[in-house]
Amino acid sequence: MFLSGKRALVTGSTSGIGLAIARALRAEGAELVLSGFGEAGAIAALCEELSARHVAADLGNRAGVEALMAGAGEVDVLVNNAGMQHVAPVEDFPVDKWDTIIALNLTAAFDASRLAIPHMKRRGWGRIINTASAHSLTASPFKSAYVSAKHGLAGLTKTLALELATFGVTANCISPGYVWTPLVENQIPDTMKARGLSREQVIEDVLLAGQPTKRFVQPEDIGELAVFLCRDAAANITGANISMDGGWTAA
Ligand code: NAD
């Protein structure tokens, strides 16, 4: 329980990867603050399961991130994980979706980090973990906003690492390949439309085509990696972009 006495805020922790990271951090004793959308009863059940608090905020705008950080209080482990996707050719890409994806997947991580850092510096210990993506390292067609935001997040992470290097605070990206979560399931209809494929073809020929293991990454494995990045043994891992993508970006 090496995270006892430390507070962890995981954005987008009502679902998918964020929830798995939250569960893993809680298992090591962290006091959890959850964030993300969902049905009130389901969120209350998660809070009970994880002895956690939930702070409701829309992180697609700056005021929402500021409200989240004020509600969370001082944070020792910040996991910037909330994200969304939209699949469309650039010339048809809805401009409001572009703005929201950049705001949620990139700008929210900047704002949450700038507000969390003063406490981490005072304490001489902190961990910033950003859920990036294989799309922080490589592109796919029809995902212009997401690929741009995730490349930006990787750059932000490196900058944070350099600025915080002497303060006991590390900043790293975890970059998953395809993980079976609602975010992936929800993009199947638009990908079917954009590419003229069936559901099965999208799963086999698009999602898993570039993932050499031909298997989805498991959210729980990402949780374990996040826990490792919090350990003292990981104190010299900073500014890294750690892939967990079944070999996708090795190709
Ligand atoms: P998910 O849809 O299961 O979870 C997304 C979470 O973000 C939810 O808790 C949701 O409520 C929250 N969220 C969405 N919009 C929000 C907003 N405006 N304000 C506050 N919270 C909001 O998705 P996931 O697959 O678990 O994705 C989590 C992260 O992992 C994202 O950053 C995503 O880009 C990244 N990622 C996912 C995959 C994958 O294959 N699933 C691969 C690489 C990276």
Side-chain angles (χ1 to χ4, degrees):
M1 303 279 268
F2 75 102
L3 289 174
S4 297
K6 299 217 160 66
R7 183 179 296 151
L9 167 63
V10 185
T11 71
S13 46
T14 51
S15 170
I17 294 168
L19 177 54
I21 292 175
R23 285 195 168 113
L25 295 174
R26 177 64 197 150
E28 291 297 343
E31 178 205 325
L32 273 184
V33 181
L34 303 177
S35 135
F37 299 145
E39 193 259 313
I43 291 175
L46 278 180
C47 287
E48 182 155 346
E49 173 198 330
L50 297 167
S51 307
R53 282 189 294 133
H54 174 262
V55 180
D58 181 348
L59 307 185
N61 62 77
R62 175 156 290 131
V65 183
E66 289 174 346
L68 170 66
M69 298 311 287
E74 295 177 335
V75 165
D76 304 298
V77 177
L78 171 66
V79 183
N80 291 304
N81 168 83
M84 63 174 284
Q85 174 65 282
H86 187 78
V87 180
V90 169
E91 66 271 29
D92 300 330
F93 210 92
V95 293
D96 59 324
K97 290 273 190 231
W98 169 277
D99 290 345
T100 307
I101 289 173
I102 299 294
L104 178 65
N105 296 32
L106 176 58
T107 309
F110 159 73
D111 282 314
S113 299
R114 80 179 162 79
L115 294 168
I117 282 169
H119 164 74
M120 292 179 178
K121 278 186 167 176
R122 271 197 304 277
R123 198 164 177 183
W125 192 95
R127 296 290 187 262
I128 298 174
I129 300 170
N130 295 324
T131 309
S133 166
H135 283 121
S136 74
L137 295 162
T138 188
S140 295
F142 313 124
K143 295 184 175 178
S144 53
Y146 188 85
V147 169
S148 302
K150 294 297 188 180
H151 274 65
L153 185 59
L156 170 67
T157 307
K158 290 187 206 176
T159 309
L160 289 170
L162 296 181
E163 291 189 17
L164 299 171
T166 57
F167 293 93
V169 181
T170 68
N172 293 290
C173 287
I174 296 177
S175 283
Y178 281 106
V179 189
W180 189 258
T181 68
L183 182 141
V184 167
E185 198 162 4
N186 292 340
Q187 65 188 271
I188 289 177
D190 283 343
T191 309
M192 288 165 63
K193 198 166 123 199
R195 294 182 183 247
L197 298 174
S198 71
R199 181 183 166 83
E200 291 65 34
Q201 284 171 321
V202 168
I203 293 174
E204 294 303 323
D205 302 343
V206 179
L207 301 184
L208 293 179
Q211 208 149 290
T213 52
K214 303 294 173 203
R215 294 173 56 214
F216 287 99
V217 176
Q218 298 304 307
E220 296 73 22
D221 295 348
I222 300 171
E224 288 303 313
L225 180 53
V227 165
F228 180 73
L229 288 173
C230 294
R231 292 192 186 279
D232 289 344
N236 275 301
I237 302 177
T238 194
N241 190 345
I242 304 174
S243 295
M244 190 182 272
D245 63 5
W248 174 350
T249 52

